[in-house]
């Protein structure tokens, strides 16, 4: 969904448990967002048609839009842009800029610095796990349900509701010991294991603490994930659950 930092809000709004999407239409709140953010130069910022503001100041025409931060256009393609087009009667007076590689690290750094921002986020993720709820608050969009259904695969141009909750799935390689037809421990463990959202957030939080100073790349990311999973498995608080998987 969309997340924002407390610096976007008035002091009174910080006391509320929920942050309504009406905040995104508040000129005072949106006026606190950066307007000169260009993001990764590989990607052109998005602004809805007929918006009263402009994404870039290259032509020197019009007022610059407040910026919503996203990773790359191809990630969850079209959803954030669809929300900018579809929320409210005429859409949001904001543009979307793309930070490119290492999006989560870049946004986390800004959150920790107390900057005013609105960014695309998801749970579980390293970004949300690395930030306290008081540092990064989720915007409550209209509920996904019978009157509003978000279907990303249809590639609609407009969205006006929240993201659907998705169930976690087990993924395993089709090769190696899990592919064998006879009973074996590795496959039984995968079938028995049950990892909760809170477990994943704990692992991702550990990854977020360790990723600074570690080289980028797929191999480094895999090593971080392996280390976090091993740490979780060896935690005494999780021992009873792990024992039940291999019993």
């Amino acid at each position: 969904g969309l997340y924002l930092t407390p610096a976007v809000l008035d002091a009174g709004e910080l006391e509320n448990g929920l942050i309504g999407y009406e905040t995104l239409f508040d000129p005072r709140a949106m006026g606190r967002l950066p307007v000169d953010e260009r993001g990764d130069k590989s990607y052109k910022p998005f602004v809805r048609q007929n918006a009263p503001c402009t994404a870039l100041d290259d032509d020197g025409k019009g007022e610059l839009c407040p910026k919503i931060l996203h990773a790359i256009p191809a990630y969850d393609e079209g959803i954030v842009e669809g929300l900018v087009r579809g929320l409210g009667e005429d859409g949001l007076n904001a543009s979307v800029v793309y930070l490119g590689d290492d999006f989560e690290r870049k946004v986390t750094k800004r959150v920790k610095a107390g900057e005013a921002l609105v960014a695309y986020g998801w749970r579980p993720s390293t970004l949300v796990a690395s930030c306290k709820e008081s540092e990064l608050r989720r915007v409550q969009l209209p509920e996904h349900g019978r009157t509003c259904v978000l279907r990303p695969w249809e590639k609609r141009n407009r969205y006006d509701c929240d993201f659907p909750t998705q169930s976690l799935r087990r993924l395993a390689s089709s090769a190696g010991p899990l592919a064998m037809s006879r009973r074996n421990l590795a496959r039984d463990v995968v079938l028995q294991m049950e990892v909760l959202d809170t477990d994943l957030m704990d692992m991702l939080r550990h990854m977020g603490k360790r990723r600074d100073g570690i080289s980028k790349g797929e191999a480094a990311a895999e090593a971080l994930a392996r280390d976090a999973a091993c740490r979780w498995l060896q935690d005494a608080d999780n021992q009873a659950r792990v024992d039940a998987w291999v019993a």
Side-chain angles (χ1 to χ4, degrees), residues 104-112 127 130-131 211:
E104 290 186 294
R105 190 201 302 251
K106 293 173 182 175
V107 175
T108 300
K109 184 177 180 180
R110 296 185 185 194
V111 171
K112 296 297 184 180
L127 169 61
S130 299
C131 300
R211 66 184 175 181

Side-chain angles (χ1 to χ4, degrees), residues 10 18 37 40-41 54 65 67 86 92 105 119 145 159 162 165 169 184 201 218 221 228-229 237 244:
D10 290 329
L18 301 177
E37 171 70 62
D40 190 312
K41 294 181 179 179
T54 181
C65 294
K67 301 300 189 291
L92 296 177
R105 190 201 302 251
Y159 293 112
D162 207 347
T165 299
R169 297 183 179 182
N184 63 82
M201 291 292 281
E218 187 174 340
D237 292 340

Side-chain angles (χ1 to χ4, degrees), residues 88-100:
E89 294 183 6
D90 301 313
L92 296 177
N93 295 334
S95 63
V96 182
V97 294
Y98 308 97
L99 301 187

